[in-house]
Amino acid sequence: AMFTFAATDHEAGSEFTFSLQAFSGTATNTARWNIYVPTPVEQQIAFNEFLANPTANTNASFFNPLHREPLAPNPTSQDEFVELVNWSGADVELLDWTLHDSAALRHEFGSSVMLESSNAVVVYGGPLAGFAPKLPVPAVPASSGSLSLQNSGTESLSLRNARDQLVARLVYRGGSLSTNGSLVRVPEINGPFRPHATVASAASSPGVQIGGDVFPGALIPRIRIAIDATASQPFVLRWIADTNRTYSVLKADSVPGKFATIASGLVFSATNASFQIPPANVPTRFFRIGSP
């Protein structure tokens, strides 16, 4: 059997209790669930990037992702991080909000930390004192002393507000982790997590946007591409551009493959952007538009 509950906008910020009763000739079993519908602002707060398997290899591209000087004593655990991003138009006070994994409470915001609109906050593995990250956004060590993000099996992270109501959840499998850096959402709040190194030149970007743009600032919305194509002729990519941004065009011959930049620094005086692609003798080709 299946029961479906679809919350409406009017029910945002409300909590509901659902009961399931099963009857037999001799007994009745009852199960209950409390379901919270986040507020419109809370719905725009998301896990945006995380690194579960940092490295102590100084030659690795994702070594010291938090840009610490001096380096953390135990980078393979203390360089773990989770980036929270606020896509809403309102600032959010995180006092008494909590971060849990599938095993335990890992962090409680015990002091005032403001997650500003179009901005981020980073929670990292430690230590509790010293060795502070050098990031342009607030960064706090996990109050439990460690994030302990799992590298195998299934891991679940949950973010709860000051009333202990579930606001956001992240579930991943160890086999989905990248060996070359973090996982990051692409292209926006509801996008899937992808290896950072496959969508940007950097291996990770805690505290900044995926292309290196600093917060605060308007987060880049999803770019929808239209294609004008004729066999054996150049074809044209078209999208709606922000005249205050620069754009890049990237290509790959397969979705899992690394995308290579074929044009960068594109600026448009009007919102109707276009870029011409010469024909290529390949069966398939995939494109991304980035900013920058």
Side-chain angles (χ1 to χ4, degrees), residues 101-223:
D101 69 0
S102 54
L105 168 67
R106 296 302 178 183
H107 179 68
E108 180 174 358
F109 289 91
S111 59
S112 179
V113 175
M114 188 67 69
L115 179 52
E116 297 179 351
S117 170
S118 298
N119 216 316
V121 165
V122 172
V123 181
Y124 62 95
L128 290 174
F131 306 93
K134 289 181 169 53
L135 302 178
V137 301
V140 293
S143 58
S144 67
S146 175
L147 282 178
S148 297
L149 301 178
Q150 295 298 310
N151 296 336
S152 62
T154 300
E155 177 70 290
S156 173
L157 297 176
S158 60
L159 178 69
R160 294 180 174 271
N161 62 23
R163 298 179 299 280
D164 198 34
Q165 295 161 324
L166 181 65
V167 171
R169 175 178 284 145
L170 160 64
V171 179
Y172 70 89
R173 295 183 183 275
S176 300
L177 297 176
S178 169
T179 58
N180 297 311
S182 67
L183 296 185
V184 64
R185 283 192 189 274
V186 178
E188 55 184 17
I189 184 173
N190 291 319
F193 280 95
R194 300 187 186 278
H196 199 291
T198 67
V199 296
S201 58
S204 64
S205 58
V208 296
Q209 298 187 52
I210 189 171
D213 288 351
V214 297
F215 298 105
L219 295 172
I220 303 169
R222 174 176 294 182
I223 300 173

Side-chain angles (χ1 to χ4, degrees), residues 256-270:
K258 186 170 182 178
F259 280 70
T261 301
I262 58 175
S264 61
L266 302 177
V267 179
F268 302 93
S269 58

Side-chain angles (χ1 to χ4, degrees), residues 239 245-249 263-268 274-275:
W239 68 95
R245 291 189 179 277
T246 60
Y247 291 87
S248 300
V249 180
S264 61
L266 302 177
V267 179
F268 302 93
S274 64
F275 183 79

